């Protein structure tokens, strides 16, 4: 269970997150939607302890991320794509990540296989495409077999086959009782896999609920999205 | 412990760290060989290569942190490794301590290989006449040199953490420890410059006669250690408080 409550973040005089709060529940895929610059990444960065909130809390089963030891066994995450140094190979990257959380090295082969990078495990990350980088980032997130997954824009740069693959992966994790939270500015790409939607615009949560709740009164999700976020069609 | 092993693994799979180790070993040896035949004893000739080891140590100290902020190609998302580092080990002081320990191990390891190699080579090629150093002095100065390299690496590391950028400390510290020592020139103007970190520790390894007015090995070493501690504490203060 992920609980974000009353999170406020200011940069200089600008308020970029204004009392943001929502939940992501076990057994469900929660999609965090909003236009670029709405505050999705900022919220996830606070959730993962990368940035400080000015006030409010962001917790995993009641605990802040920074208090977790060997966090990869509890939460897998991906922000900023692969998160690997360009001069490393995928294997080298996964090796140190596994080492840092005491995860056995055999998991490296398993996650490379799971994300379809087995053949490219010895290629330097500098030569990776955006889609391959995303797959490597997801591989690292899966290393510790976590019960929660937090992914920032995971479908970015994936081809149609990749998008189909990631939907299956996320569905499978949620069906096994995991908590899945993913952000996206592409609502149609995630609508099929999401159980719950959280929509943010201008640093404020504008609506939360199941896909049916959010689209009620609108023609479809796209119409709902633009009406809620104040965009024009 | 997991964090330390991860940092060692990270460092050793980074080409720039190997470049630093190579500069220390081959650079020191090359300088020592070039300086042979200048009438100095074999031991003094060997220690003449110390500045290159300082350069190698600075490189290791800087890239151990600066590589975290290297961005990937824009068309591959432009991500940086620091995001991964901070999410796999969210306790920031633990990350800094692991990096400090990894740097110390790498620099001490490079000294343990480099110093015996350069001293061995100079003993083979330099005709030693006149009095050499005693065994005890030689060991003390080798250990002093290792401490000097380690402290310079840690100072370089801490400055990189504070600036979040490796280019400035790399250029300043490499030029200062190899081409021309700005702090050493300053010491000609004011004796306060003998308290600057790189000059304070000079007598840890160098011939006492070469630096007029410099601090002795003991106090000098303490002053330099003090600088390293101050820089590292400042780095810890900044790193734990700012957003990634």
């Amino acid at each position: 269970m992920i609980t974000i409550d009353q999170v406020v973040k200011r940069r200089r005089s600008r308020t970029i997150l204004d009392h943001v709060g929502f939940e992501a529940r076990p057994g469900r895929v929660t999609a965090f939607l909003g236009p670029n610059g709405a505050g999705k990444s900022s919220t996830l960065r606070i959730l993962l302890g990368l940035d400080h909130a000015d006030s409010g809390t962001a917790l995993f089963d009641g605990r802040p991320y920074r208090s977790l030891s060997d966090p990869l066994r509890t939460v897998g995450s991906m922000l900023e794509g692969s998160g690997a140094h360009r001069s490393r190979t995928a294997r080298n990257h996964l090796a140190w990540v596994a080492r840092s959380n005491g995860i056995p090295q055999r998991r490296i082969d398993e996650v490379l296989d799971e994300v379809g990078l087995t053949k490219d495990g010895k290629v330097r990350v500098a030569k990776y495409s955006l889609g391959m980088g995303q797959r490597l980032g997801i591989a690292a997130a899966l290393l510790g077999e976590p019960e929660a997954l937090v992914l920032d824009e995971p479908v970015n740069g994936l081809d149609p086959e990749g998008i189909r693959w990631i939907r299956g992966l996320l569905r499978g994790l949620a069906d096994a009782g995991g908590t899945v939270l993913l952000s996206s500015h592409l609502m149609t790409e995630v609508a099929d896999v999401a159980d719950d939607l959280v929509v943010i615009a201008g640093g404020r949560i504008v609506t939360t609920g199941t896909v049916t709740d959010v689209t009620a009164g609108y023609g479809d999700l796209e119409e709902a999205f633009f009406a809620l976020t104040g965009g024009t069609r | 412990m997991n964090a330390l092993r991860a940092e060692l693994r990270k460092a050793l799979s980074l080409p720039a760290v190997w470049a630093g180790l190579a500069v220390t070993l081959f650079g020191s040896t090359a300088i020592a060989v070039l300086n042979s035949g200048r009438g100095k004893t074999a031991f003094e000739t060997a220690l003449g290569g110390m500045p290159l080891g300082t350069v190698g140590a600075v490189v290791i100290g800087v890239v151990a942190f600066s590589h975290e902020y290297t961005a990937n190609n824009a068309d591959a998302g432009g991500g940086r490794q620091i995001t991964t580092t901070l999410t796999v080990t969210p306790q920031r002081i633990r990350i800094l301590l692991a990096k400090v320990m990894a740097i110390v191990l790498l620099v001490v390891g490079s000294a343990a290989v480099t110093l015996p190699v350069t001293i061995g080579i100079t003993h083979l090629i330099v005709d030693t006449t006149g009095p050499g150093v005693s065994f005890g002095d030689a060991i003390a100065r080798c250990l002093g040199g290792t401490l000097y390299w380690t402290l310079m690496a840690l100072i370089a590391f801490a400055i990189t953490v504070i600036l979040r950028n490796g280019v400035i400390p790399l250029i300043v510290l490499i030029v200062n420890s190899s081409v021309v020592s700005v702090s050493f020139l300053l010491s000609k103007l004011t004796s306060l410059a003998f308290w600057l970190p790189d000059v304070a520790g000079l007598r840890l390894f160098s011939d006492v006669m070469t630096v007029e007015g410099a601090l002795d090995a003991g106090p000098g070493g303490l002053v330099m250690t003090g600088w390293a501690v101050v820089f590292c504490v400042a780095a810890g203060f900044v790193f734990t408080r700012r957003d990634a």
Side-chain angles (χ1 to χ4, degrees):
Chain A
M1 171 85 121
I2 298 170
T3 317
I4 296 174
D5 191 29
Q6 299 282 318
V7 166
V8 175
K9 175 74 179 174
R10 294 187 196 87
R11 288 229 166 87
R12 295 189 185 89
S13 60
R14 218 162 60 88
T15 302
I16 55 170
L17 296 177
D18 186 3
H19 298 88
V20 166
F22 63 88
E23 287 179 348
R25 286 176 286 156
R28 301 179 75 82
V29 176
T30 305
F32 188 27
L33 301 174
N36 284 329
K40 301 186 298 295
S41 295
S42 301
T43 305
L44 297 186
R45 292 178 69 84
I46 288 168
L47 176 62
L48 295 169
L50 291 168
D51 293 355
H52 297 268
D54 290 297
S55 63
T57 54
L59 306 170
F60 291 90
D61 290 330
R63 298 182 65 190
Y65 189 86
R66 283 199 188 199
S67 77
L68 303 174
S69 55
D70 294 341
L72 297 188
R73 293 167 180 278
T74 313
V75 185
S77 64
M78 178 182 72
L79 296 169
E80 298 189 22
S82 71
H85 189 267
R86 41 186 295 124
S87 73
R88 291 185 209 290
T89 65
R91 282 187 169 278
N92 274 338
H93 175 68
L94 294 172
W96 80 256
V97 172
R99 185 67 271 166
S100 70
N101 276 238
I103 294 164
Q105 299 287 310
R106 65 169 168 78
R107 281 292 295 155
I108 295 168
D109 287 318
E110 294 171 12
V111 294
L112 281 173
D113 181 49
E114 204 166 342
V115 303
L117 283 179
T118 303
K119 275 190 305 183
D120 304 298
K122 290 184 177 163
V123 176
R124 283 180 196 272
V125 171
K127 294 191 172 151
Y128 271 30
S129 66
L130 181 55
M132 289 163 82
Q134 298 281 49
R135 285 172 186 261
L136 177 54
I138 292 166
L142 296 174
L143 267 178
E145 301 175 86
E147 64 223 36
L149 211 51
V150 177
L151 307 174
D152 193 17
E153 302 278 359
V155 298
N156 237 8
L158 290 181
D159 52 20
E161 185 274 324
I163 292 173
R164 193 182 149 92
W165 160 76
I166 201 165
R167 281 184 188 146
L169 176 82
L170 301 179
R171 185 76 265 154
L173 281 164
D175 287 349
T179 307
V180 177
L181 174 63
L182 74 152
S183 77
S184 185
H185 63 279
L186 307 164
M187 66 265 145
T188 45
E189 256 71 5
V190 299
D192 291 347
V193 70
D195 302 301
D196 297 317
L197 302 180
V198 176
V199 183
I200 187 170
R204 290 164 187 254
I205 301 294
V206 291
T207 191
T208 60
T210 63
V211 178
T212 325
D213 293 342
V214 171
T215 51
Y218 301 98
D220 56 15
L221 178 60
E222 191 176 46
E223 196 181 315
F225 180 83
F226 284 115
L228 291 163
T229 60
T232 49
R233 296 191 71 164
Chain B
M1 205 58 206
N2 278 340
L4 171 60
R5 290 166 81 168
E7 287 303 331
L8 272 176
R9 192 152 205 159
K10 258 161 129 173
L12 289 173
S13 56
L14 207 62
V17 166
W18 286 99
L21 293 171
V23 168
T24 298
L25 178 59
F26 300 118
S28 305
T29 314
I31 295 287
V33 170
L34 288 172
N35 279 343
S36 63
R38 293 209 177 164
K40 284 189 172 179
T41 65
F43 186 76
E44 296 303 338
T45 308
L47 261 60
M50 289 293 296
L52 266 292
T54 310
V55 171
V58 164
V59 169
I60 291 169
V62 168
V63 298
F65 194 78
S66 67
H67 87 278
E68 298 281 356
Y69 288 91
T70 309
N72 263 308
N73 305 338
D75 55 6
R80 302 159 308 160
Q81 184 186 274
I82 186 73
T83 322
T84 311
T85 300
L86 293 177
T87 42
V88 303
T89 310
Q91 299 80 12
R92 300 202 176 175
I93 288 296
R94 195 181 291 177
I95 296 177
L96 282 194
L97 287 177
K99 282 194 185 286
V100 163
M101 283 192 277
I103 291 168
V104 170
L105 287 174
L106 287 169
V107 174
V108 169
S110 74
V113 175
T114 304
L115 293 175
V117 166
T118 49
I119 292 167
I121 289 177
T122 51
H123 269 92
L124 289 177
I125 60 176
V126 175
D127 284 331
T128 308
T129 50
V133 286
S134 72
F135 184 72
D137 272 359
I139 293 293
R141 285 172 61 191
C142 284
L143 290 178
T146 307
L147 178 64
Y148 185 88
W149 286 356
T150 308
L151 293 173
M152 280 305 285
L154 292 180
I155 290 169
F157 164 73
I159 294 173
T160 310
V161 174
I162 293 165
L163 297 178
R164 257 193 286 197
N165 176 312
V167 179
I168 299 163
L170 211 51
I171 292 175
V172 170
L173 293 174
I174 286 181
V175 168
N176 192 59
S177 51
S178 59
V179 185
V180 53
S181 168
V182 176
S183 3
F184 189 69
L185 290 179
L186 277 176
S187 72
K188 305 281 181 201
L189 294 175
T190 163
S191 58
L192 280 178
F194 287 122
W195 292 76
L196 288 170
D198 57 328
V199 183
L202 270 186
R203 281 194 178 164
L204 285 170
F205 62 89
S206 76
D207 194 349
V208 179
M209 302 305 290
T210 53
V211 194
E212 198 64 41
L215 298 173
D216 276 340
L222 280 178
V223 169
M224 193 179 178
T225 307
W227 277 106
V229 169
V230 167
F231 274 112
C232 286
V233 167
F237 188 83
V238 172
F239 188 59
T240 48
R241 269 158 192 79
R242 79 178 159 212
D243 287 346

